[in-house]
């Protein structure tokens, strides 16, 4: 069997991942018809059908899935090997576009960007704040940020140094006036600051204790779609807020907010930068990912 070229294998991974010749062609920079012919030639060369095709869709066969599972980590390792010598070419330059929710964007500004500016002054980090979960490839981003468990399987994830923990917080003045809720059910008698998600739905507060899971529909006269504003509302004594600990840590440390229902809060969730596993990693993105990894190593 004539060994396939690296370009053909990379193209196959793009088609199998996107399940679309058009979208894969847009990513690679070729015509869909050219890509389709290349995939037929690859199948003939390997002597096995890799893709199921219809007039409207394309999907991997069993053999295609097996090849895809082996190629994705192999191509990622190849990219890392090539990037390992990037430092010998001189300063890294370019732009890396990151899609992130507002809360995480703030963390990137505080944690990652100072290190990027010091190590790689010629790299521009373009962060777009977006609450919705989007297809970062079709939207033109190099990487995105989301909860680790929600990262698509065809992406490579680089965890942040700190996981995210959801907490309930209220101001001392509010708790002095209305008391500590004690249990999640008691929230029905309190003022709760509602959270509207990007989809328009209300976020249901989730609790967990000794294996028991509980969801609460928070009641209150205030609904916000931004965690920093929720923290501000809680500081003003307008109610109890259910937010990520990152958003409230400063207000907690200086006494403007206090945690409540700590025994009922769910386990921490990892947050990761993720990027496509089937394409070459640009030097600017690799530099960004290296900073994220290094910060994780320094975290106690």
């Amino acid at each position: 069997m004539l060994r396939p070229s690296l370009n053909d294998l990379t193209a196959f991974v793009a088609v199998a991942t996107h399940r679309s010749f058009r979208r894969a062609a847009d990513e690679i920079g070729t015509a869909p018809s050219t890509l389709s012919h290349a995939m037929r030639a690859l199948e003939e060369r390997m002597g096995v059908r890799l893709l199921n095709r219809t007039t409207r869709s394309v999907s991997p066969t069993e053999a295609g899935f097996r090849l895809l599972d082996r190629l994705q980590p192999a191509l990622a390792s190849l990219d890392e090997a090539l990037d390992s010598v990037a430092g010998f070419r001189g300063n890294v330059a370019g732009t890396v576009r990151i899609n992130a929710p507002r809360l995480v964007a703030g963390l990137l500004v505080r944690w990652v960007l100072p290190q990027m500016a010091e190590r790689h002054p010629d790299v521009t980090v373009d962060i777009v704040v977006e609450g919705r979960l989007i297809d970062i490839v079709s939207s033109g981003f190099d990487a995105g940020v989301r909860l680790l468990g929600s990262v698509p399987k065809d992406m490579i994830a680089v965890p942040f140094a700190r996981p995210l923990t959801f907490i309930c917080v209220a101001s001392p003045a509010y708790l002095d006036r209305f008391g500590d809720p004690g249990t999640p059910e008691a929230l029905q008698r309190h003022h709760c600051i509602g959270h509207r998600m990007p989809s328009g739905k209300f976020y249901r507060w989730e609790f967990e204790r000794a294996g028991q899971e509980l969801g609460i529909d928070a009641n209150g006269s205030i609904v916000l779609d931004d965690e920093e504003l929720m923290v501000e509302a809680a500081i003003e004594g307008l109610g109890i807020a259910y937010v990520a600990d990152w958003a409230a840590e400063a207000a907690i440390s200086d006494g403007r907010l206090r945690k409540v229902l700590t025994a009922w809060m769910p386990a921490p969730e990892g947050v990761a930068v993720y990027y496509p596993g089937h394409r070459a990693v640009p030097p600017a993105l690799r530099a960004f990912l290296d900073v994220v990894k290094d910060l994780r190593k320094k975290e106690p």
Side-chain angles (χ1 to χ4, degrees):
M1 180 186 72
L2 183 63
R3 185 179 297 274
S5 70
L6 180 60
N7 286 340
D8 286 341
L9 294 177
T10 302
F12 163 74
V13 171
V15 173
T17 300
H18 286 297
R19 310 288 181 90
S20 165
F21 283 112
R22 181 186 59 78
R23 295 205 305 178
D26 288 343
E27 177 183 320
I28 295 172
T30 188
S33 58
T34 301
L35 189 55
S36 178
H37 289 310
M39 291 301 96
R40 291 195 182 281
L42 174 62
E43 290 174 320
E44 292 176 3
R45 191 175 301 125
M46 296 186 66
V48 63
R49 190 175 66 178
L50 301 172
L51 299 167
N52 290 318
R53 300 168 174 82
T54 69
T55 56
R56 296 186 178 181
S57 66
V58 57
S59 62
T61 62
E62 181 179 357
F65 274 118
R66 181 169 299 184
L67 180 61
L68 179 65
D69 287 342
R70 300 297 294 271
L71 280 178
Q72 285 180 320
L75 291 177
S77 296
L78 177 60
D79 288 337
E80 290 181 0
L82 294 174
D83 290 336
S84 68
V85 300
F88 295 96
R89 297 196 299 263
N91 292 337
V92 178
T95 298
V96 54
R97 298 192 72 230
I98 308 292
N99 182 279
R102 180 175 176 180
L103 175 64
V104 180
L107 292 173
L108 292 177
V109 170
R110 293 195 295 273
W111 293 356
V112 180
L113 296 197
Q115 291 294 319
M116 285 294 299
E118 181 178 343
R119 298 189 201 179
H120 307 288
D122 296 327
V123 172
T124 298
V125 181
D126 182 355
I127 299 176
V128 175
V129 176
E130 173 68 66
R132 297 177 299 113
L133 298 179
I134 66 168
D135 182 339
I136 59 170
V137 174
S138 63
S139 299
F141 291 97
D142 295 297
V145 182
R146 68 172 65 175
L147 293 176
L148 186 57
S150 301
V151 174
K153 293 182 179 180
D154 60 319
M155 297 286 173
I156 295 176
V158 178
F160 270 19
R162 292 176 53 190
L164 178 149
T165 302
F166 285 100
I167 57 176
C168 281
V169 293
S171 70
Y174 176 90
L175 295 174
D176 289 343
R177 182 178 179 186
F178 297 100
D180 191 310
T183 66
E185 291 88 350
L187 289 171
Q188 303 297 334
R189 301 189 297 273
H190 279 264
H191 301 287
C192 297
I193 299 167
H195 180 180
R196 186 185 298 278
M197 297 187 294
S199 64
K201 296 181 179 180
F202 290 102
Y203 185 79
R204 200 160 193 254
W205 294 12
E206 299 174 350
F207 299 93
E208 179 182 338
R209 185 175 185 179
Q212 177 187 356
E213 296 182 356
L214 182 65
I216 297 293
D217 293 318
N219 296 318
S221 58
I222 298 174
V223 178
L224 299 168
D225 65 355
D226 181 274
E227 294 207 43
E228 293 180 2
L229 291 178
M230 296 174 206
V231 169
E232 290 299 321
I235 291 172
E236 294 299 322
L238 299 178
I240 299 174
Y242 185 103
V243 296
D245 59 342
W246 297 344
E249 59 185 358
I252 292 171
S253 65
D254 62 22
R256 289 177 295 164
L257 289 177
R258 293 210 306 255
K259 297 180 185 179
V260 297
L261 297 171
T262 54
W264 284 90
M265 302 318 297
E269 298 186 66
V271 177
V273 179
Y274 65 99
Y275 62 98
H278 58 269
R279 62 195 302 183
V281 181
L285 175 58
R286 177 60 60 192
F288 182 89
L289 296 172
D290 286 344
V291 169
V292 173
K293 293 176 182 177
D294 289 345
L295 290 173
R296 186 185 184 194
K297 293 177 184 177
K298 295 177 182 178
E299 187 72 12

